[in-house]
Amino acid sequence: MNSALFLALRRLRFPIILLIAVYTIGMIGLVMIPGVDENGTPWHMSFFDAFYFMSYTASTIGFGEIPRPFSYAQRLWVTFIIYLSVIGWAYAIARVLGLLQDRGFQHTLVQQRFGREVRRLREPFYLVCGFGETGMLVCRALDRMNVRFVVIDLREDRVAEVDLQEFQTDTPAFAADARFPANLALAGLEHPACKGVLALTSDDSANLAVAMAGKLLHPGVPIICRAMNKSVADNMASFGTDHIINPFETFADYLSLAINSPGKHRLVDLLVGEPGQRFRPAPLPPRGHWVVSGYGRFGREVVACLDREGLDVSIIDPAPALPGRRYVSGMGTEPEPLRQAGIEQAVGIVAGTDNDVNNLSIAVTARQLNPRLFVIVRQNLQANRALFDAYDAQLNMVPSQLIADRCVALLGTPLLARFLMLARAQNDGWAEDLAGRLEALLPGRVPALWDVRLDLDEAPAVYRALTDRDSEVRVGTLLRDPAARAEPLNALPLMLSRAREPQLLPARELRVRAGDRLLFAGSVAARSAQRTLLQNVNVFDYVHRGREIPGGWIWETITRQRKARRS
Amino acid sequence: MNLEKVVFGFFILLAATLNFGFVWGDIDDPAHHDAYELFCALVVSLIATVLKFGDRTQIGAVHLATSLVADLQLIAAAVVWVSAANSGVPVSPEQTANIVSLAAGALLANLVSVTLLVVETVMLRR
């Protein structure tokens, strides 16, 4: 029930009773005290006259002495009740204002409005827990994708930030602790339109709590979690969290790819970038001696990756000692430790502490000592972006950006994660070849990616053709231009997933079945052309069989009759 | 003993008794029905309603509902009386019967309220 109303009623109980009492006392006095009319005969006010008089006197409207001039006895009483009623009203109004300013009451009001907004959502939405740098980047991307979302964050100032972002749609946002299931439920965790939960707070244990609550309270809803620690990530994986993003591990993986399989690295770069943007292949880190400054969570992952690739690594860290490693104790911000770590002979440096100024200082000093260095620098805060842009390192590692990009890729094209996993198992030549084909498709640009499920919702035209008429539809059919069927669309089928059995790069001759899921890459125009083909029966029939079908019931009937007559 | 419970029970019972006192008598005889009594019944009923604000239990909700019904009926009776008394002619037996039957409806609601109070008390067994 409406708890704010109840709270207000309970708090205002005494002022209301006081007002009723004041009115009653005033009215009884007015009714009982006799007046004298111009003939000298006594008269009494009726209850209604008294109520009318009290109403306009107590509210200080003051119409005068109605129904006829008062006697002195009446005026004496009226003087008394005027003061009484003014005090009564002043007290009641003060209580109402006090209630409105009460933080608890305001919180209840905001909470109720938020709950109502969430309950009223009819379109599918994502629940974003944590509106820090990562959360904000993800929300902006979701907004660009025209997807709705609900935000909860622990901090009130961040929630206020949601309104300042000027998203296209009204975004319900609420300051609450996401660790408590009640708050998650209020934010729509159990809402049937909730399409996914993103736990992006900076607190691993909070993300874990969100993942757990999501799994139990809304089974089947995909959960994407940010995890900075391996043990937490393992814990999340143990109960089936769908995607766990550890930015450091993800970056180390990416670095491995860049070192040992340039083809796959190029392919990943092409597929994960923002569609339509100019494609700038990331420079490839060279083999040789590397210096890693900062041996924290990030440093460890990078060193492990460089070790795997068999590269020679020396570490600079303030920690006392690391047995069994080439190690210099100190900060990498001064030239001496860098020299000791062999910066002059090194091919690359990783500035990976958790302090942006230190990282830049390390990178600048190192480049002064050895201008040919390949520099990888970790940028912890989005706010320092201008500095890092000005420095222009070969690789810039921004954890929040990395997580956001991953989230967007996973949400926008759920098949992509699967595809990337399978592509990893292929050899590098295969990846090189595919990257080449993708680049030929859209020279110098990042292709758009999209996935399609051949069902009644996403592809009604194809679905009807497959189920009702049992016709043969091939992958190639879905890639013809709806304007001229002989022309192929500017797109490439990357994967076909049938009953969880994926097939990479399906041939154009392959027959599709209802329920298949396909992943395509191509131009944005090809994507929208394909959408009309999938949804419009007439367009699909033209592309599929090469003839225009008369639209509308009348023409359809006439054609059917004509056909029947002919046969 | 709880002072709040005493006040609560007092107003609910008083609302019912005043209501009963007003209704008691020949239904169409204006001499049997006093304006003061109706006024007091209405005021006490209003106070009883406010006292019931803010109780979130099921029985609290029903309590509040019965009180609101009683208020509505008594206000209707008062409005009928005011319009009848100020029309220039004395209040007729028909109009009196009208007013009293409206107040009798309020009495029924007040009786339900009292019953609820008794049931609640018996359930507590303290």
Side-chain angles (χ1 to χ4, degrees), chain A residues 160-487:
Chain A
E161 186 75 19
V162 174
D163 288 332
L164 302 177
Q165 288 289 321
E166 298 188 348
F167 293 124
Q168 292 176 37
T169 50
D170 270 345
T171 300
F174 186 55
D177 195 336
R179 280 175 298 188
F180 297 118
N183 291 337
L184 288 172
L186 187 74
L189 178 62
E190 292 153 302
H191 197 296
C194 179
K195 242 174 58 173
V197 179
L198 293 94
L200 303 175
T201 69
S202 54
D203 178 3
D204 270 7
S205 65
N207 291 342
L208 183 69
V210 171
M212 178 57 93
K215 271 290 156 210
L216 292 176
L217 296 179
H218 195 162
V221 73
I223 296 165
I224 301 180
C225 270
R226 153 179 166 168
M228 297 298 212
N229 284 311
K230 215 169 174 61
S231 60
V232 176
D234 290 344
N235 192 347
M236 286 170 177
S238 70
F239 55 83
T241 303
D242 300 75
H243 303 286
I244 301 152
I245 307 172
N246 178 337
F248 306 132
E249 211 180 287
T250 311
F251 183 79
D253 254 21
Y254 175 81
L255 198 62
S256 292
L257 273 188
I259 294 169
N260 70 20
S261 20
K264 286 180 199 168
H265 173 247
R266 198 177 175 78
L267 184 63
V268 170
D269 260 3
L270 263 172
L271 295 179
V272 179
E274 197 173 324
Q277 293 298 102
R278 187 162 289 286
F279 176 55
R280 255 184 42 200
L284 294 174
R287 287 180 169 272
H289 177 67
W290 279 76
V291 177
V292 175
S293 179
Y295 195 61
R297 288 173 304 189
F298 177 59
R300 266 167 233 270
E301 290 286 350
V302 171
V303 168
C305 147
L306 294 173
D307 279 349
R308 265 202 306 277
E309 303 308 327
L311 301 185
D312 184 29
V313 186
S314 48
I315 299 167
I316 307 176
D317 196 84
L322 281 171
R325 296 222 67 115
R326 228 180 120 179
Y327 178 78
V328 179
S329 181
M331 296 288 286
T333 47
E334 307 104 47
E336 204 35 51
L338 286 170
R339 274 209 196 91
Q340 278 178 30
I343 198 78
E344 270 111 350
Q345 297 81 44
V347 293
I349 179 156
V350 180
T353 72
D354 55 6
N355 182 316
D356 279 353
V357 178
N358 284 351
N359 286 347
L360 280 172
S361 165
I362 293 164
V364 171
T365 317
R367 223 180 228 175
Q368 273 167 359
L369 294 172
N370 183 351
R372 293 180 311 281
L373 277 178
F374 187 99
V375 181
I376 298 176
V377 56
R378 166 178 168 188
Q379 177 192 335
N380 296 290
L381 295 174
Q382 284 284 339
N384 293 328
R385 188 169 168 180
L387 298 179
F388 283 83
D389 280 355
Y391 177 74
D392 195 24
Q394 272 83 354
L395 264 183
N396 207 355
M397 192 276 175
V398 194
S400 55
Q401 186 72 51
L402 210 102
I403 301 169
D405 284 350
R406 261 304 156 102
C407 282
V408 172
L410 288 170
L411 297 177
T413 42
L415 281 185
L416 179 65
R418 201 83 192 281
F419 176 79
L420 288 178
M421 217 169 68
L422 291 169
R424 185 156 284 200
Q426 304 291 319
N427 62 39
D428 203 42
W430 179 88
E432 186 86 65
D433 181 51
L434 180 58
R437 282 167 69 192
L438 283 173
E439 279 182 82
L441 217 57
L442 283 166
R445 299 272 165 194
V446 178
L449 286 180
W450 68 95
D451 56 14
V452 172
R453 188 197 283 272
L454 298 182
D455 61 9
L456 210 50
D457 277 343
E458 284 187 40
V462 182
Y463 185 80
R464 291 230 176 79
L466 285 170
T467 52
D468 299 354
R469 287 182 261 149
D470 209 19
S471 39
E472 275 186 26
V473 181
R474 295 169 196 283
V475 174
T477 318
L478 307 177
L479 288 167
R480 286 177 200 271
D481 192 345
R485 66 188 294 266
E487 299 289 321

Side-chain angles (χ1 to χ4, degrees), chain A residues 10 13 24 27 31-32 47, chain B residues 36 39 43 50-51 53-54 82:
Chain A
R10 201 165 26 198
R13 211 149 50 176
T24 311
M27 280 168 70
V31 170
M32 284 173 54
F47 276 107
Chain B
Y36 279 94
F39 173 72
V43 169
V50 177
L51 284 176
F53 279 173
V82 167

